[in-house]
């Protein structure tokens, strides 16, 4: 079999860094969730997000993606809010399920350390909620979102 390594490289010297427990915060681009488009500079170039912004954007995207609905995502990605409507739960039970679903959704990311301090506000058939997310660097951000038609 032909050698896959460039000439002069000993294949025993090349190995993947699989023993590292360090969590990597990669590159990403800023996204405006209200407009549904990437943020661009005045000259039209997509703006890069810093590592904290990239992680927060991942969190927002994950909690706004329905689990099991899109083949491109693994079964661990997203939430199951759509299942809450058919359960006819009390407000307290809905709040508990939302908290569980969001926590499970965000904890699949190795950059997420914890999710806490949930606050819920009900307006007719809509529940607005906010919570704090903490990454492994102990940086935190408050996220706000809502679920409609629960009762």
């Amino acid at each position: 079999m032909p050698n896959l390594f460039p000439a002069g490289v000993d294949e025993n010297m090349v190995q993947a860094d699989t023993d590292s427990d360090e969590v990597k915060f990669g590159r990403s681009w800023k996204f405006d969730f209200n407009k549904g488009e990437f943020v661009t500079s005045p000259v039209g170039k997509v703006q890069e997000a810093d590592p904290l912004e990239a992680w927060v954007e991942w969190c927002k995207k994950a909690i706004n993606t329905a689990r099991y609905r899109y083949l491109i995502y693994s079964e661990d990605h997203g939430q199951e809010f759509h299942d809450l409507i058919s359960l006819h739960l009390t407000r307290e039970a809905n709040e508990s399920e939302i908290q569980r679903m969001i926590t499970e959704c965000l904890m699949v990311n190795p950059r997420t350390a914890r999710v806490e301090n949930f606050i819920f506000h009900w307006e007719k058939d809509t529940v607005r909620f906010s919570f704090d997310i903490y990454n492994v660097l102990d940086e935190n951000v408050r996220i706000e979102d809502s679920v409609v038609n629960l009762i």
Side-chain angles (χ1 to χ4, degrees), residues 64-137:
N64 283 291
T65 300
R67 186 177 281 180
Y68 312 119
R69 190 168 294 170
Y70 305 100
L71 294 175
I72 192 168
Y73 298 119
S74 75
E75 291 182 355
D76 294 334
H77 188 80
Q79 44 66 22
E80 309 112 47
F81 293 153
H82 59 278
D83 292 340
L84 289 175
I85 296 169
S86 63
L87 296 176
H88 305 291
L89 301 173
T90 64
R91 284 186 175 190
E92 293 78 16
N94 273 313
E95 290 174 2
S96 177
E97 281 298 289
I98 291 169
Q99 184 171 344
R100 178 190 64 79
M101 288 178 186
I102 289 174
T103 302
E104 285 179 4
C105 171
L106 299 180
M107 291 304 295
V108 300
N109 189 321
R111 298 175 291 182
T112 305
R114 62 188 188 278
V115 183
E116 57 188 36
N117 301 324
F118 281 81
I119 297 175
F120 296 92
H121 296 285
W122 287 83
E123 299 169 5
K124 297 184 183 180
D125 62 349
T126 301
V127 60
R128 299 189 186 287
F129 53 87
S130 60
F131 55 92
D132 294 324
I133 52 174
Y134 293 81
N135 64 22
V136 294
L137 302 175

